[in-house]
Amino acid sequence: MEIKLIETEEEYNQAIARIDLLFDAPKGSKEAKELDLLVLIVNKYEDENYPIDEPDPIEYIKIRMEEMGLKAADLVQYMGNKGNVSKVLNRKRGLSIEMIRNLNKGLGFPLDVLISEHALAS
C-alpha cells in the first residue's frame, strides 16, 4: 500500500483495513513500521474530520467520578460541603476558583477542562 495523507473516506477505510491486517506485525519489522505510519495518518484524518469535543467541566467530573468509583460525598473535601457538591453536580452553581484548584491538585483533573465554560440550570 502506498502511504500518503488520507483525503477521502474511501482512502480512510482502506487505511483502516490495512491497519487490521498489520495489527500483529512483529516489532521492528517493515510491516510494524508501516503500521506506525498508518496509525499516525489515520489519527490525523480522524482529528480533522471527526473531532471529539471535550465534555464540559460538570460532565467531566461525573465521568471521572464513575471511572474512579467516587461518590458525591468523596468530593466534599474538594468543594467545601455537601451542599456545594450537590449544587455543582446539578448545575445550580458554578465551580469556584478554590474548587477548581482543589480538584486539580487533589484528583488530578486538568485545569483546562475545569475552567471551560459550562451551562447552569435555569
Side-chain angles (χ1 to χ4, degrees), residues 3-68:
I3 297 180
K4 62 184 185 75
L5 290 179
I6 298 170
E7 297 176 351
T8 67
E9 194 70 21
E10 182 181 341
E11 291 173 345
Y12 171 75
N13 290 329
Q14 290 172 353
I16 294 294
R18 183 68 179 154
I19 286 171
D20 286 342
L21 289 173
L22 298 172
F23 194 75
D24 292 321
K27 190 174 180 103
S29 68
K30 178 181 164 189
E31 291 81 10
K33 291 176 184 177
E34 179 183 353
L35 175 64
D36 289 342
L37 285 172
L38 283 171
V39 167
L40 287 172
I41 293 167
V42 164
N43 282 337
K44 180 184 182 322
Y45 182 83
E46 289 175 343
D47 288 346
E48 292 173 356
N49 293 281
Y50 306 109
I52 298 173
D53 294 331
E54 289 290 329
D56 75 5
I58 308 309
E59 197 59 36
Y60 178 83
I61 290 169
K62 290 177 180 180
I63 290 167
R64 292 296 290 145
M65 285 174 66
E66 185 177 326
E67 290 174 351
M68 298 169 80

Side-chain angles (χ1 to χ4, degrees), residues 70-119:
L70 300 175
K71 305 257 185 268
D74 298 319
L75 298 181
V76 169
Q77 63 184 318
Y78 307 106
M79 294 186 177
N81 60 54
K82 287 182 0 181
N84 286 346
V85 173
S86 177
K87 287 176 186 174
V88 167
L89 293 179
N90 289 304
R91 298 180 183 274
K92 303 285 185 198
R93 170 196 175 143
L95 291 164
S96 70
I97 297 291
E98 184 177 356
M99 290 177 196
I100 290 170
R101 286 180 183 144
N102 291 340
L103 289 167
N104 173 256
K105 185 175 181 182
L107 296 174
F109 293 177
L111 289 174
D112 60 327
V113 173
L114 293 175
I115 64 171
S116 64
E117 291 187 35
H118 58 283

